[in-house]
Amino acid sequence: MVNKPRFMDLVRERIRVKHYSIRTEEAYVGWIKRFIFFHNKRHPAEMGKPEMEQFLTHLAVDKNVAASTQNQALAALLFMYKEVLQVEPPWVENVTRAKKPVRLPVVLTKSEVKHLFEYIPLTYQLHVKLLYGCGLRLMELVRLRVQDIDFGYSTITVRSGKGDKDRRVMLPASTFSMLKDQLNETQRIHTMDLKNGYGEVYLPNALARKYPNANKTFAWQFVFPNRSIVTDPRSGIKRRHHMHEQSLQRAIKQAAAKAQIHKKVTPHTLRHSFATHLLESGYDIRTIQELLGHKNVETTMIYTHVLNQGGRGVISPLEDL
């Protein structure tokens, strides 16, 4: 007798067939489990629209989650019904929506950015300069491959950014020397790994099938490799992945504290600062939109509000007293 696969195993299998990232897999599996446990472990095939609405409302009202979190939970449930149970997902309408707060991004002044650099450890100087100098998202930086760097045209190609879109950004000339040193170190590590029977890097499934030998070439290696060989949780293959982003997050937070910058400084703050400083320099909003990889110009317009916050440019009546 062949045992039927467990439901969550089916969920994972379908996610991998669709080539979703491991982060998306972890998020979707987590939300589907919470949905099942919320309804006392009933099978999802026995539930539908009312149960989805109850769960999503519970997240907003009782758990006070952010709008983006509630939307992620909804996406996970819609995936479950459409891709795993293979039924048309129910249309949910009677849901209390989490409120999406309107907040201005935290932005550093140019002098604060320069001051921050003074407290960033040498190990992370290049990382931070690329975050600010190119407007990269944190995961876009750590996932850079050797072939994405083009010194000849002074560009970086960002592959599969948010929305699975590619884009090109400028590569500051001031980073050339540090970046070439980093690539030399990456090549040294790769050569060592090949001698030790490793040297294979993760490639998305479609690319791995199309170019079966590409995963051992230097061009496909991560610019910022992990310090150690790790086991891939999906395939069980031992290989060197990219650096873990938490170490960089920690370094930036500690540097901001030492520099006595009394703002909440994260890697994304440098991206916000990049966009705002380009606006201050007179670059048009469409150019900045393309560099940031925003789908809609409305998203980029938030930086015009940053420049205008507090009535900037308006003289207070206090000055006339």
mmCIF file of all heavy atoms in Angstrom, residues 24-64:
data_model
loop_
_atom_site.group_PDB
_atom_site.id
_atom_site.type_symbol
_atom_site.label_atom_id
_atom_site.label_comp_id
_atom_site.label_asym_id
_atom_site.label_seq_id
_atom_site.Cartn_x
_atom_site.Cartn_y
_atom_site.Cartn_z
ATOM 1 N N THR A 24 10.081 32.414 -0.227
ATOM 2 C CA THR A 24 8.646 32.363 -0.505
ATOM 3 C C THR A 24 8.065 31.042 -0.012
ATOM 4 O O THR A 24 6.962 31.004 0.547
ATOM 5 C CB THR A 24 8.388 32.524 -2.020
ATOM 6 O OG1 THR A 24 8.947 33.760 -2.463
ATOM 7 C CG2 THR A 24 6.894 32.505 -2.329
ATOM 8 N N GLU A 25 8.811 29.962 -0.208
ATOM 9 C CA GLU A 25 8.351 28.650 0.273
ATOM 10 C C GLU A 25 8.141 28.669 1.779
ATOM 11 O O GLU A 25 7.097 28.224 2.278
ATOM 12 C CB GLU A 25 9.375 27.576 -0.093
ATOM 13 C CG GLU A 25 9.008 26.194 0.433
ATOM 14 C CD GLU A 25 10.027 25.128 0.051
ATOM 15 O OE1 GLU A 25 10.664 25.253 -1.015
ATOM 16 O OE2 GLU A 25 10.184 24.156 0.823
ATOM 17 N N GLU A 26 9.107 29.184 2.503
ATOM 18 C CA GLU A 26 8.994 29.233 3.968
ATOM 19 C C GLU A 26 7.802 30.085 4.395
ATOM 20 O O GLU A 26 7.062 29.718 5.321
ATOM 21 C CB GLU A 26 10.285 29.801 4.568
ATOM 22 C CG GLU A 26 11.474 28.860 4.425
ATOM 23 C CD GLU A 26 12.792 29.534 4.793
ATOM 24 O OE1 GLU A 26 12.791 30.777 4.999
ATOM 25 O OE2 GLU A 26 13.815 28.834 4.858
ATOM 26 N N ALA A 27 7.595 31.227 3.716
ATOM 27 C CA ALA A 27 6.486 32.121 4.075
ATOM 28 C C ALA A 27 5.139 31.460 3.782
ATOM 29 O O ALA A 27 4.238 31.463 4.633
ATOM 30 C CB ALA A 27 6.612 33.436 3.309
ATOM 31 N N TYR A 28 4.974 30.895 2.582
ATOM 32 C CA TYR A 28 3.707 30.284 2.196
ATOM 33 C C TYR A 28 3.368 29.084 3.086
ATOM 34 O O TYR A 28 2.226 28.924 3.537
ATOM 35 C CB TYR A 28 3.745 29.855 0.728
ATOM 36 C CG TYR A 28 3.473 30.983 -0.256
ATOM 37 C CD1 TYR A 28 3.632 32.319 0.111
ATOM 38 C CD2 TYR A 28 3.049 30.724 -1.566
ATOM 39 C CE1 TYR A 28 3.382 33.353 -0.777
ATOM 40 C CE2 TYR A 28 2.794 31.756 -2.469
ATOM 41 C CZ TYR A 28 2.966 33.062 -2.067
ATOM 42 O OH TYR A 28 2.714 34.077 -2.957
ATOM 43 N N VAL A 29 4.359 28.233 3.332
ATOM 44 C CA VAL A 29 4.128 27.071 4.193
ATOM 45 C C VAL A 29 3.712 27.526 5.584
ATOM 46 O O VAL A 29 2.783 26.970 6.192
ATOM 47 C CB VAL A 29 5.399 26.184 4.264
ATOM 48 C CG1 VAL A 29 5.287 25.166 5.404
ATOM 49 C CG2 VAL A 29 5.616 25.459 2.940
ATOM 50 N N GLY A 30 4.360 28.562 6.089
ATOM 51 C CA GLY A 30 4.016 29.084 7.409
ATOM 52 C C GLY A 30 2.581 29.587 7.485
ATOM 53 O O GLY A 30 1.859 29.282 8.442
ATOM 54 N N TRP A 31 2.136 30.344 6.478
ATOM 55 C CA TRP A 31 0.776 30.891 6.488
ATOM 56 C C TRP A 31 -0.269 29.793 6.324
ATOM 57 O O TRP A 31 -1.324 29.835 6.978
ATOM 58 C CB TRP A 31 0.610 31.934 5.382
ATOM 59 C CG TRP A 31 1.237 33.243 5.727
ATOM 60 C CD1 TRP A 31 2.232 33.897 5.058
ATOM 61 C CD2 TRP A 31 0.918 34.074 6.851
ATOM 62 N NE1 TRP A 31 2.561 35.064 5.692
ATOM 63 C CE2 TRP A 31 1.774 35.211 6.789
ATOM 64 C CE3 TRP A 31 0.009 33.976 7.893
ATOM 65 C CZ2 TRP A 31 1.730 36.221 7.744
ATOM 66 C CZ3 TRP A 31 -0.040 34.994 8.843
ATOM 67 C CH2 TRP A 31 0.812 36.099 8.759
ATOM 68 N N ILE A 32 0.010 28.829 5.485
ATOM 69 C CA ILE A 32 -0.962 27.742 5.285
ATOM 70 C C ILE A 32 -1.101 26.914 6.561
ATOM 71 O O ILE A 32 -2.213 26.520 6.942
ATOM 72 C CB ILE A 32 -0.538 26.864 4.080
ATOM 73 C CG1 ILE A 32 -0.664 27.683 2.786
ATOM 74 C CG2 ILE A 32 -1.391 25.601 3.992
ATOM 75 C CD1 ILE A 32 -0.035 27.040 1.570
ATOM 76 N N LYS A 33 0.002 26.693 7.254
ATOM 77 C CA LYS A 33 -0.066 25.972 8.535
ATOM 78 C C LYS A 33 -0.889 26.759 9.551
ATOM 79 O O LYS A 33 -1.718 26.193 10.269
ATOM 80 C CB LYS A 33 1.348 25.746 9.081
ATOM 81 C CG LYS A 33 2.085 24.580 8.440
ATOM 82 C CD LYS A 33 3.455 24.399 9.108
ATOM 83 C CE LYS A 33 4.191 23.204 8.543
ATOM 84 N NZ LYS A 33 5.532 23.040 9.162
ATOM 85 N N ARG A 34 -0.657 28.079 9.605
ATOM 86 C CA ARG A 34 -1.412 28.907 10.556
ATOM 87 C C ARG A 34 -2.900 28.902 10.235
ATOM 88 O O ARG A 34 -3.746 28.911 11.145
ATOM 89 C CB ARG A 34 -0.863 30.335 10.544
ATOM 90 C CG ARG A 34 0.502 30.454 11.187
ATOM 91 C CD ARG A 34 1.057 31.858 11.130
ATOM 92 N NE ARG A 34 0.294 32.803 11.949
ATOM 93 C CZ ARG A 34 0.649 34.069 12.132
ATOM 94 N NH1 ARG A 34 1.768 34.536 11.572
ATOM 95 N NH2 ARG A 34 -0.091 34.874 12.872
ATOM 96 N N PHE A 35 -3.227 28.899 8.957
ATOM 97 C CA PHE A 35 -4.623 28.851 8.524
ATOM 98 C C PHE A 35 -5.284 27.555 8.980
ATOM 99 O O PHE A 35 -6.410 27.548 9.513
ATOM 100 C CB PHE A 35 -4.669 28.963 6.992
ATOM 101 C CG PHE A 35 -6.040 28.805 6.387
ATOM 102 C CD1 PHE A 35 -7.050 29.713 6.628
ATOM 103 C CD2 PHE A 35 -6.313 27.725 5.543
ATOM 104 C CE1 PHE A 35 -8.316 29.576 6.053
ATOM 105 C CE2 PHE A 35 -7.565 27.573 4.972
ATOM 106 C CZ PHE A 35 -8.564 28.495 5.229
ATOM 107 N N ILE A 36 -4.570 26.449 8.815
ATOM 108 C CA ILE A 36 -5.111 25.133 9.198
ATOM 109 C C ILE A 36 -5.283 25.047 10.713
ATOM 110 O O ILE A 36 -6.316 24.588 11.209
ATOM 111 C CB ILE A 36 -4.182 24.017 8.675
ATOM 112 C CG1 ILE A 36 -4.234 23.957 7.140
ATOM 113 C CG2 ILE A 36 -4.571 22.662 9.270
ATOM 114 C CD1 ILE A 36 -3.201 23.052 6.507
ATOM 115 N N PHE A 37 -4.281 25.499 11.461
ATOM 116 C CA PHE A 37 -4.363 25.431 12.923
ATOM 117 C C PHE A 37 -5.422 26.391 13.469
ATOM 118 O O PHE A 37 -6.059 26.103 14.490
ATOM 119 C CB PHE A 37 -3.001 25.725 13.551
ATOM 120 C CG PHE A 37 -2.099 24.520 13.612
ATOM 121 C CD1 PHE A 37 -1.280 24.194 12.544
ATOM 122 C CD2 PHE A 37 -2.083 23.697 14.734
ATOM 123 C CE1 PHE A 37 -0.455 23.078 12.591
ATOM 124 C CE2 PHE A 37 -1.264 22.580 14.799
ATOM 125 C CZ PHE A 37 -0.443 22.263 13.726
ATOM 126 N N PHE A 38 -5.615 27.531 12.799
ATOM 127 C CA PHE A 38 -6.630 28.484 13.235
ATOM 128 C C PHE A 38 -8.018 27.854 13.183
ATOM 129 O O PHE A 38 -8.887 28.150 14.017
ATOM 130 C CB PHE A 38 -6.601 29.724 12.343
ATOM 131 C CG PHE A 38 -7.633 30.765 12.683
ATOM 132 C CD1 PHE A 38 -7.474 31.591 13.784
ATOM 133 C CD2 PHE A 38 -8.772 30.917 11.888
ATOM 134 C CE1 PHE A 38 -8.434 32.554 14.094
ATOM 135 C CE2 PHE A 38 -9.733 31.872 12.196
ATOM 136 C CZ PHE A 38 -9.559 32.694 13.297
ATOM 137 N N HIS A 39 -8.224 26.966 12.224
ATOM 138 C CA HIS A 39 -9.517 26.285 12.068
ATOM 139 C C HIS A 39 -9.461 24.859 12.612
ATOM 140 O O HIS A 39 -10.097 23.937 12.052
ATOM 141 C CB HIS A 39 -9.938 26.294 10.597
ATOM 142 C CG HIS A 39 -10.320 27.663 10.094
ATOM 143 N ND1 HIS A 39 -11.441 28.336 10.537
ATOM 144 C CD2 HIS A 39 -9.714 28.490 9.200
ATOM 145 C CE1 HIS A 39 -11.516 29.515 9.933
ATOM 146 N NE2 HIS A 39 -10.488 29.628 9.119
ATOM 147 N N ASN A 40 -8.697 24.689 13.704
ATOM 148 C CA ASN A 40 -8.658 23.414 14.434
ATOM 149 C C ASN A 40 -8.275 22.224 13.553
ATOM 150 O O ASN A 40 -8.890 21.143 13.636
ATOM 151 C CB ASN A 40 -10.007 23.154 15.124
ATOM 152 C CG ASN A 40 -10.353 24.234 16.126
ATOM 153 O OD1 ASN A 40 -9.506 24.636 16.928
ATOM 154 N ND2 ASN A 40 -11.581 24.753 16.056
ATOM 155 N N LYS A 41 -7.274 22.436 12.710
ATOM 156 C CA LYS A 41 -6.671 21.386 11.885
ATOM 157 C C LYS A 41 -7.629 20.765 10.863
ATOM 158 O O LYS A 41 -7.458 19.608 10.459
ATOM 159 C CB LYS A 41 -6.063 20.289 12.765
ATOM 160 C CG LYS A 41 -4.958 20.777 13.689
ATOM 161 C CD LYS A 41 -4.342 19.629 14.466
ATOM 162 C CE LYS A 41 -3.239 20.124 15.388
ATOM 163 N NZ LYS A 41 -2.616 19.028 16.163
ATOM 164 N N ARG A 42 -8.617 21.546 10.442
ATOM 165 C CA ARG A 42 -9.483 21.044 9.367
ATOM 166 C C ARG A 42 -8.701 21.053 8.064
ATOM 167 O O ARG A 42 -7.828 21.893 7.842
ATOM 168 C CB ARG A 42 -10.723 21.940 9.224
ATOM 169 C CG ARG A 42 -11.726 21.792 10.364
ATOM 170 C CD ARG A 42 -12.814 22.846 10.252
ATOM 171 N NE ARG A 42 -13.554 22.730 8.996
ATOM 172 C CZ ARG A 42 -14.369 23.684 8.529
ATOM 173 N NH1 ARG A 42 -14.488 24.824 9.202
ATOM 174 N NH2 ARG A 42 -15.010 23.502 7.394
ATOM 175 N N HIS A 43 -9.022 20.119 7.182
ATOM 176 C CA HIS A 43 -8.323 20.057 5.896
ATOM 177 C C HIS A 43 -8.786 21.227 5.021
ATOM 178 O O HIS A 43 -9.992 21.536 4.970
ATOM 179 C CB HIS A 43 -8.612 18.723 5.182
ATOM 180 C CG HIS A 43 -7.667 18.445 4.057
ATOM 181 N ND1 HIS A 43 -7.773 19.060 2.825
ATOM 182 C CD2 HIS A 43 -6.588 17.624 3.979
ATOM 183 C CE1 HIS A 43 -6.799 18.624 2.040
ATOM 184 N NE2 HIS A 43 -6.069 17.750 2.712
ATOM 185 N N PRO A 44 -7.870 21.893 4.326
ATOM 186 C CA PRO A 44 -8.247 23.037 3.491
ATOM 187 C C PRO A 44 -9.304 22.707 2.440
ATOM 188 O O PRO A 44 -10.079 23.596 2.048
ATOM 189 C CB PRO A 44 -6.926 23.429 2.825
ATOM 190 C CG PRO A 44 -5.887 23.003 3.790
ATOM 191 C CD PRO A 44 -6.401 21.727 4.389
ATOM 192 N N ALA A 45 -9.355 21.455 1.993
ATOM 193 C CA ALA A 45 -10.356 21.070 0.994
ATOM 194 C C ALA A 45 -11.776 21.195 1.549
ATOM 195 O O ALA A 45 -12.738 21.322 0.782
ATOM 196 C CB ALA A 45 -10.102 19.643 0.514
ATOM 197 N N GLU A 46 -11.895 21.181 2.880
ATOM 198 C CA GLU A 46 -13.212 21.279 3.517
ATOM 199 C C GLU A 46 -13.590 22.733 3.810
ATOM 200 O O GLU A 46 -14.678 23.008 4.307
ATOM 201 C CB GLU A 46 -13.216 20.501 4.840
ATOM 202 C CG GLU A 46 -12.893 19.019 4.686
ATOM 203 C CD GLU A 46 -12.713 18.356 6.042
ATOM 204 O OE1 GLU A 46 -12.858 19.053 7.076
ATOM 205 O OE2 GLU A 46 -12.435 17.144 6.075
ATOM 206 N N MET A 47 -12.673 23.630 3.537
ATOM 207 C CA MET A 47 -12.903 25.042 3.861
ATOM 208 C C MET A 47 -12.905 25.890 2.601
ATOM 209 O O MET A 47 -12.454 25.461 1.547
ATOM 210 C CB MET A 47 -11.819 25.537 4.830
ATOM 211 C CG MET A 47 -11.800 24.799 6.153
ATOM 212 S SD MET A 47 -10.636 25.516 7.346
ATOM 213 C CE MET A 47 -9.069 24.863 6.755
ATOM 214 N N GLY A 48 -13.413 27.103 2.727
ATOM 215 C CA GLY A 48 -13.486 27.985 1.566
ATOM 216 C C GLY A 48 -13.541 29.444 1.971
ATOM 217 O O GLY A 48 -12.851 29.894 2.891
ATOM 218 N N LYS A 49 -14.415 30.182 1.295
ATOM 219 C CA LYS A 49 -14.501 31.628 1.474
ATOM 220 C C LYS A 49 -14.720 32.071 2.924
ATOM 221 O O LYS A 49 -13.985 32.939 3.411
ATOM 222 C CB LYS A 49 -15.607 32.168 0.566
ATOM 223 C CG LYS A 49 -15.849 33.665 0.709
ATOM 224 C CD LYS A 49 -16.975 34.128 -0.206
ATOM 225 C CE LYS A 49 -17.275 35.604 0.014
ATOM 226 N NZ LYS A 49 -18.378 36.071 -0.844
ATOM 227 N N PRO A 50 -15.711 31.524 3.660
ATOM 228 C CA PRO A 50 -15.931 32.002 5.038
ATOM 229 C C PRO A 50 -14.700 31.826 5.922
ATOM 230 O O PRO A 50 -14.353 32.717 6.707
ATOM 231 C CB PRO A 50 -17.098 31.140 5.533
ATOM 232 C CG PRO A 50 -17.778 30.650 4.292
ATOM 233 C CD PRO A 50 -16.700 30.490 3.283
ATOM 234 N N GLU A 51 -14.044 30.676 5.779
ATOM 235 C CA GLU A 51 -12.874 30.402 6.626
ATOM 236 C C GLU A 51 -11.705 31.326 6.276
ATOM 237 O O GLU A 51 -10.976 31.778 7.159
ATOM 238 C CB GLU A 51 -12.449 28.936 6.472
ATOM 239 C CG GLU A 51 -13.391 27.926 7.113
ATOM 240 C CD GLU A 51 -14.620 27.611 6.259
ATOM 241 O OE1 GLU A 51 -14.658 28.087 5.091
ATOM 242 O OE2 GLU A 51 -15.515 26.908 6.750
ATOM 243 N N MET A 52 -11.522 31.599 4.986
ATOM 244 C CA MET A 52 -10.461 32.529 4.581
ATOM 245 C C MET A 52 -10.726 33.927 5.140
ATOM 246 O O MET A 52 -9.824 34.589 5.657
ATOM 247 C CB MET A 52 -10.359 32.580 3.056
ATOM 248 C CG MET A 52 -9.639 31.397 2.444
ATOM 249 S SD MET A 52 -9.502 31.537 0.634
ATOM 250 C CE MET A 52 -8.419 32.949 0.453
ATOM 251 N N GLU A 53 -11.982 34.375 5.041
ATOM 252 C CA GLU A 53 -12.336 35.705 5.525
ATOM 253 C C GLU A 53 -12.145 35.815 7.033
ATOM 254 O O GLU A 53 -11.654 36.825 7.540
ATOM 255 C CB GLU A 53 -13.774 36.039 5.124
ATOM 256 C CG GLU A 53 -13.931 36.228 3.618
ATOM 257 C CD GLU A 53 -15.371 36.451 3.186
ATOM 258 O OE1 GLU A 53 -16.287 36.143 3.977
ATOM 259 O OE2 GLU A 53 -15.574 36.921 2.065
ATOM 260 N N GLN A 54 -12.517 34.745 7.757
ATOM 261 C CA GLN A 54 -12.341 34.746 9.223
ATOM 262 C C GLN A 54 -10.864 34.857 9.589
ATOM 263 O O GLN A 54 -10.476 35.615 10.481
ATOM 264 C CB GLN A 54 -12.929 33.466 9.820
ATOM 265 C CG GLN A 54 -14.439 33.389 9.793
ATOM 266 C CD GLN A 54 -14.939 32.002 10.171
ATOM 267 O OE1 GLN A 54 -14.252 31.234 10.836
ATOM 268 N NE2 GLN A 54 -16.148 31.667 9.726
ATOM 269 N N PHE A 55 -10.038 34.087 8.885
ATOM 270 C CA PHE A 55 -8.609 34.059 9.196
ATOM 271 C C PHE A 55 -7.954 35.403 8.887
ATOM 272 O O PHE A 55 -7.188 35.935 9.696
ATOM 273 C CB PHE A 55 -7.927 32.938 8.411
ATOM 274 C CG PHE A 55 -6.439 32.867 8.607
ATOM 275 C CD1 PHE A 55 -5.900 32.544 9.846
ATOM 276 C CD2 PHE A 55 -5.564 33.121 7.558
ATOM 277 C CE1 PHE A 55 -4.520 32.475 10.039
ATOM 278 C CE2 PHE A 55 -4.188 33.058 7.730
ATOM 279 C CZ PHE A 55 -3.669 32.728 8.988
ATOM 280 N N LEU A 56 -8.246 35.970 7.725
ATOM 281 C CA LEU A 56 -7.632 37.236 7.328
ATOM 282 C C LEU A 56 -8.088 38.392 8.222
ATOM 283 O O LEU A 56 -7.310 39.285 8.548
ATOM 284 C CB LEU A 56 -7.954 37.534 5.861
ATOM 285 C CG LEU A 56 -7.326 36.563 4.843
ATOM 286 C CD1 LEU A 56 -7.896 36.803 3.458
ATOM 287 C CD2 LEU A 56 -5.808 36.701 4.840
ATOM 288 N N THR A 57 -9.355 38.368 8.637
ATOM 289 C CA THR A 57 -9.865 39.382 9.563
ATOM 290 C C THR A 57 -9.199 39.239 10.922
ATOM 291 O O THR A 57 -8.840 40.232 11.569
ATOM 292 C CB THR A 57 -11.391 39.265 9.697
ATOM 293 O OG1 THR A 57 -12.002 39.523 8.423
ATOM 294 C CG2 THR A 57 -11.932 40.248 10.727
ATOM 295 N N HIS A 58 -9.002 37.995 11.359
ATOM 296 C CA HIS A 58 -8.306 37.714 12.631
ATOM 297 C C HIS A 58 -6.902 38.315 12.628
ATOM 298 O O HIS A 58 -6.459 38.892 13.626
ATOM 299 C CB HIS A 58 -8.250 36.196 12.838
ATOM 300 C CG HIS A 58 -7.171 35.728 13.762
ATOM 301 N ND1 HIS A 58 -7.222 35.898 15.135
ATOM 302 C CD2 HIS A 58 -5.984 35.109 13.505
ATOM 303 C CE1 HIS A 58 -6.124 35.397 15.684
ATOM 304 N NE2 HIS A 58 -5.350 34.916 14.723
ATOM 305 N N LEU A 59 -6.218 38.217 11.489
ATOM 306 C CA LEU A 59 -4.863 38.769 11.396
ATOM 307 C C LEU A 59 -4.861 40.284 11.576
ATOM 308 O O LEU A 59 -4.001 40.841 12.260
ATOM 309 C CB LEU A 59 -4.229 38.407 10.047
ATOM 310 C CG LEU A 59 -3.912 36.929 9.789
ATOM 311 C CD1 LEU A 59 -3.323 36.754 8.393
ATOM 312 C CD2 LEU A 59 -2.942 36.389 10.843
ATOM 313 N N ALA A 60 -5.864 40.942 10.968
ATOM 314 C CA ALA A 60 -5.919 42.404 11.040
ATOM 315 C C ALA A 60 -6.418 42.900 12.393
ATOM 316 O O ALA A 60 -5.851 43.834 12.971
ATOM 317 C CB ALA A 60 -6.816 42.941 9.928
ATOM 318 N N VAL A 61 -7.470 42.271 12.912
ATOM 319 C CA VAL A 61 -8.132 42.757 14.122
ATOM 320 C C VAL A 61 -7.427 42.283 15.397
ATOM 321 O O VAL A 61 -7.144 43.074 16.305
ATOM 322 C CB VAL A 61 -9.615 42.320 14.140
ATOM 323 C CG1 VAL A 61 -10.276 42.725 15.458
ATOM 324 C CG2 VAL A 61 -10.362 42.911 12.961
ATOM 325 N N ASP A 62 -7.159 40.972 15.469
ATOM 326 C CA ASP A 62 -6.594 40.401 16.700
ATOM 327 C C ASP A 62 -5.067 40.464 16.736
ATOM 328 O O ASP A 62 -4.477 40.686 17.794
ATOM 329 C CB ASP A 62 -7.046 38.941 16.870
ATOM 330 C CG ASP A 62 -8.566 38.822 16.931
ATOM 331 O OD1 ASP A 62 -9.194 39.737 17.483
ATOM 332 O OD2 ASP A 62 -9.120 37.826 16.416
ATOM 333 N N LYS A 63 -4.431 40.252 15.595
ATOM 334 C CA LYS A 63 -2.962 40.230 15.556
ATOM 335 C C LYS A 63 -2.368 41.573 15.139
ATOM 336 O O LYS A 63 -1.155 41.768 15.248
ATOM 337 C CB LYS A 63 -2.480 39.135 14.601
ATOM 338 C CG LYS A 63 -2.851 37.725 15.047
ATOM 339 C CD LYS A 63 -2.191 37.384 16.377
ATOM 340 C CE LYS A 63 -2.487 35.973 16.805
ATOM 341 N NZ LYS A 63 -1.839 35.645 18.120
ATOM 342 N N ASN A 64 -3.208 42.462 14.633
ATOM 343 C CA ASN A 64 -2.763 43.814 14.258
ATOM 344 C C ASN A 64 -1.575 43.794 13.296
ATOM 345 O O ASN A 64 -0.614 44.548 13.451
ATOM 346 C CB ASN A 64 -2.409 44.604 15.520
ATOM 347 C CG ASN A 64 -2.335 46.107 15.260
ATOM 348 O OD1 ASN A 64 -3.042 46.622 14.389
ATOM 349 N ND2 ASN A 64 -1.481 46.801 15.982
#
